[in-house]
Amino acid sequence: APLETLRETGVRVQSFESYMNRSTYKIARARNREFRRRWRTVRDDEAFHDRFELDGIQVWNALEERFELHYRFHYQRLVRFIQTGRHLIDVAEPDVVLFKGVGPKSARTFATVANELGVPTVMIQHGKSNPIQRFEPLVDHVAAWGELSKGFLVTRGYDPDQITVCGSPKFDHLHDLEVDEEQLRSDLGIDDDSDVLMLASQPFSENVRRTIATAVCESLESMSGVVLL
């Protein structure tokens, strides 16, 4: 397990949540009461509801449940994340905060807190960049997988000087593997003249994996001398 590996190397491991204290919960409870009061104001404000109109149709009723969820639950969670992040930085005094992606709300909030407190932040890219995903520049520096990912991050607001292309660190061990290509081809029954394309997908559902595999196979129909693994 990753945490056990870190402990074996002498790295002290402590969860983000463990930095919550009584003050954190006290502030979160107080803000929760405040957000509930604000929600009742929003819920009963007809003039506010009237602003939510699309193509002449009043759509507040379709959005009301989502607003209530944020006021009653999500906002107080953000308060806990903010207060816990502040306490962590005050206690641990980190020289830099390192993130494996900043997708989760807790990570995005902590990155913002660290930035506000002047602590340098670095993100290691985790997963493939998604053109649909809104990727805001939350950290000072990004370790990106490749030039394609770098280009995507630039379109989302990062300065090129903030990005270092280094590949994915979790695959660094593959670089050090000593592989006998000739023996490997012989074991797999692949001749020396064929190019090899390996498809390694995420653990999607069977239907999604079948769709991906079908698309790849159809693309290879027009290509000769390529073996798919």
Side-chain angles (χ1 to χ4, degrees), residues 104-115:
K105 286 186 176 66
S106 56
R108 295 174 69 84
T109 305
F110 186 33
T112 302
V113 169
N115 290 337

Side-chain angles (χ1 to χ4, degrees), residues 105-157:
K105 286 186 176 66
S106 56
R108 295 174 69 84
T109 305
F110 186 33
T112 302
V113 169
N115 290 337
E116 291 293 331
L117 295 178
V119 180
T121 51
V122 178
M123 180 187 76
I124 299 175
Q125 182 185 345
H126 175 66
K128 184 69 180 71
S129 301
N130 184 347
I132 301 176
Q133 185 181 31
R134 187 176 182 183
F135 223 125
E136 301 293 347
L138 289 174
V139 295
D140 299 317
H141 204 84
V142 181
W145 283 6
E147 292 296 336
L148 183 63
S149 297
K150 178 178 180 178
F152 172 81
L153 292 169
V154 169
T155 66
R156 286 297 184 265

